[in-house]
């Protein structure tokens, strides 16, 4: 009896080949309508992009603006806060089901409304079954088929995971799909590392002829220590808002409550952020190198003062280390 054992080498090679494929050119690349601002928001996972965007979009709608919020994170958590914790069907999942049924995806299948905000989730593949970046690309291809270029909005907000630097997640920057980028970070090294990486991507594509710039930084869970503000100053971008580290905000966010409203005590803060987002021009950042980033923090906090000690071949071999006689010829001095 022979066992049907999958050829993992071939499977691995297929994944590698797929990862190197150039994305389809059927991506929205034409300029947006003259009144629409398309803004991509980037930040480290868990830093509060969804909290910031759900409340910002709700506030913009209360101010009379037409807003489309698109979640571009495989976790599909962007719209959860907006919809009171309710997960809406993602574009990728819905597209797959409709395709199997021989049906076309319609707007009502993937786009939902609350408080004047229109929102949808691109979604992503099941864990271990595909590339999240390529899922983003396929999602935007479908949006174009649904008529993305003809939609009438004042703002289109795109929520992107900043930890990942592949082409799919870098799409708005690499393809000039957005006019500007907003960074969300806190006073911690990892979130600022991600923010600095996004600045590096923006600057790279500007040198390649791109037009996307950084509109500014939103400091979330601001504890007043100042590292995020120092980062913004160092890379030459403005701080658009500083959302405090407050227990009331934490509890309301955990309970899927919207605070970006005139009915909330936090309404004026999000109204000010909405105005800053509308007016902030896209600028070229000056990304930091690793030492410059570490320099924003005390050496004790980051280990920046640590001295690298090179390893030796004997270190690597451990108990297997054997002294080998040198073949070098040594001549006696006469």
């Amino acid at each position: 009896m022979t066992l049907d054992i999958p050829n993992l080498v071939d499977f691995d090679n297929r994944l590698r080949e797929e990862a190197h494929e150039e994305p389809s050119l059927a991506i929205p690349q034409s300029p947006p309508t003259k009144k629409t601002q398309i803004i991509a928001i980037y930040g480290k996972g868990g830093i509060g992009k969804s909290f910031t965007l759900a409340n910002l979009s709700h506030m913009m709608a209360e101010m009379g603006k037409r807003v489309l919020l698109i979640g571009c994170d495989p976790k599909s958590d962007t719209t959860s806060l907006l919809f009171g914790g309710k997960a809406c069907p993602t574009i990728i999942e819905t597209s797959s089901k409709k395709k199997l049924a021989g049906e076309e995806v319609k707007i009502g299948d993937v786009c939902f409304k609350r408080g004047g905000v229109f929102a949808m989730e691109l979604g992503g593949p099941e864990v271990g079954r595909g590339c999240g970046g390529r899922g983003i690309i396929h999602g935007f291809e479908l949006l174009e088929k649904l008529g993305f270029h003809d939609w009438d909005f004042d703002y289109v907000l795109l929520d992107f995971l900043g930890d990942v630097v592949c082409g799919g997640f870098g799409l708005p920057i690499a393809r000039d799909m957005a006019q500007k980028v907003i960074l969300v970070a806190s006073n911690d090294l990892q979130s600022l590392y991600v923010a600095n990486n996004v600045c590096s991507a923006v600057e790279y594509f500007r040198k390649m002829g791109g037009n996307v710039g950084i509109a500014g930084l939103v400091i979330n869970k601001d504890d007043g220590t100042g590292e995020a503000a120092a980062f913004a100053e160092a890379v030459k971008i403005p701080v658009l808002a500083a959302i405090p580290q407050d227990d009331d905000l934490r509890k309301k966010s955990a309970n899927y409550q919207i605070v970006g409203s005139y009915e909330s005590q936090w309404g004026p803060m999000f109204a000010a952020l909405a105005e800053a987002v509308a007016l902030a021009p896209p600028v070229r950042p000056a990304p930091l190198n690793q030492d410059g980033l570490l320099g924003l923090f005390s050496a004790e906090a980051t280990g920046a003062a640590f001295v690298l000690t090179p390893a030796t071949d004997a270190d690597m071999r451990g108990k297997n280390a054997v002294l080998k006689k040198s073949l070098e010829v040594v001549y006696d001095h006469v």
Side-chain angles (χ1 to χ4, degrees), residues 253-321:
S253 177
N255 291 318
Y256 301 103
Q257 295 180 30
I258 290 293
V259 297
S261 169
Y262 286 119
E263 297 178 359
S264 165
Q265 63 169 316
W266 304 104
M269 179 178 68
F270 280 97
L273 173 58
E275 292 175 1
V277 167
L279 298 175
V283 299
R284 291 183 68 166
L288 304 175
N289 59 26
Q290 182 71 1
D291 289 339
L293 193 59
L294 291 176
L296 299 173
F297 299 82
S298 67
E300 292 77 14
T302 63
F306 188 83
V307 178
L308 295 176
T309 303
T312 66
D313 181 70
D315 291 331
M316 307 307 290
R317 295 178 182 273
K319 65 180 181 180
N320 297 321

Side-chain angles (χ1 to χ4, degrees), residues 39-288:
I39 304 171
I41 289 81
Y42 282 89
K44 175 182 175 293
I47 201 59
K49 298 186 308 301
S50 298
F51 165 80
T52 302
L53 277 180
N55 287 290
L56 173 61
S57 61
H58 193 275
M59 191 72 242
M60 285 177 161
E62 282 198 11
M63 298 170 77
K65 304 299 182 182
R66 285 177 53 82
V67 184
L68 173 63
L69 175 60
I70 303 178
C72 309
D73 186 322
K75 297 192 303 296
S76 300
D77 57 355
T78 305
T79 57
S80 294
L81 180 59
L82 183 66
F83 296 138
K86 180 73 173 179
C88 64
T90 69
I91 291 174
I92 292 174
E93 180 185 18
T94 303
S95 174
S96 297
K97 290 181 178 179
K98 291 285 186 179
K99 187 175 182 180
L100 288 173
E103 301 173 358
E104 294 289 330
V105 177
K106 299 177 181 178
I107 288 295
D109 296 325
V110 294
C111 189
F112 305 89
K113 302 179 287 183
R114 180 187 176 183
V117 180
F118 296 79
M120 59 181 71
E121 288 279 1
L122 290 187
E126 293 185 48
V127 177
R129 299 190 184 183
C131 169
R134 290 188 64 80
I136 296 298
I137 293 169
H138 293 322
F140 274 102
E141 289 175 340
L142 180 57
L143 286 182
E144 186 181 42
K145 292 177 182 177
L146 289 173
F148 183 79
H149 293 310
D150 299 322
W151 295 346
D152 178 31
F153 289 99
D154 297 300
Y155 296 97
V156 176
L157 305 177
L158 310 173
D159 181 2
F160 274 89
L161 183 66
D163 306 65
V164 186
V165 292
C166 75
F169 291 95
L171 202 65
I173 302 172
R175 299 287 186 88
D176 275 358
M177 287 176 58
Q179 294 100 330
K180 54 192 181 185
V181 166
I182 293 173
L183 304 173
V184 179
S186 190
N187 292 313
D188 69 90
L189 179 59
Q190 291 304 315
S191 71
L192 294 178
Y193 177 84
V194 169
N196 193 59
N197 269 354
V198 177
C199 287
S200 296
V202 168
E203 179 60 12
Y204 170 76
F205 284 108
R206 286 296 287 260
K207 290 179 180 178
M208 298 285 287
N211 297 301
V212 179
I214 303 286
L217 173 70
V218 175
I219 305 173
N220 192 34
K221 301 177 184 176
D222 186 13
D223 58 5
T225 53
E227 290 88 354
F231 167 78
E233 182 177 1
V235 299
K236 298 179 173 56
I237 62 174
V239 173
L240 300 177
I243 301 172
Q245 183 173 278
D246 186 276
D247 198 48
D248 181 61
L249 286 174
R250 181 188 64 79
K251 289 179 179 178
K252 285 185 168 59
S253 177
N255 291 318
Y256 301 103
Q257 295 180 30
I258 290 293
V259 297
S261 169
Y262 286 119
E263 297 178 359
S264 165
Q265 63 169 316
W266 304 104
M269 179 178 68
F270 280 97
L273 173 58
E275 292 175 1
V277 167
L279 298 175
V283 299
R284 291 183 68 166
L288 304 175

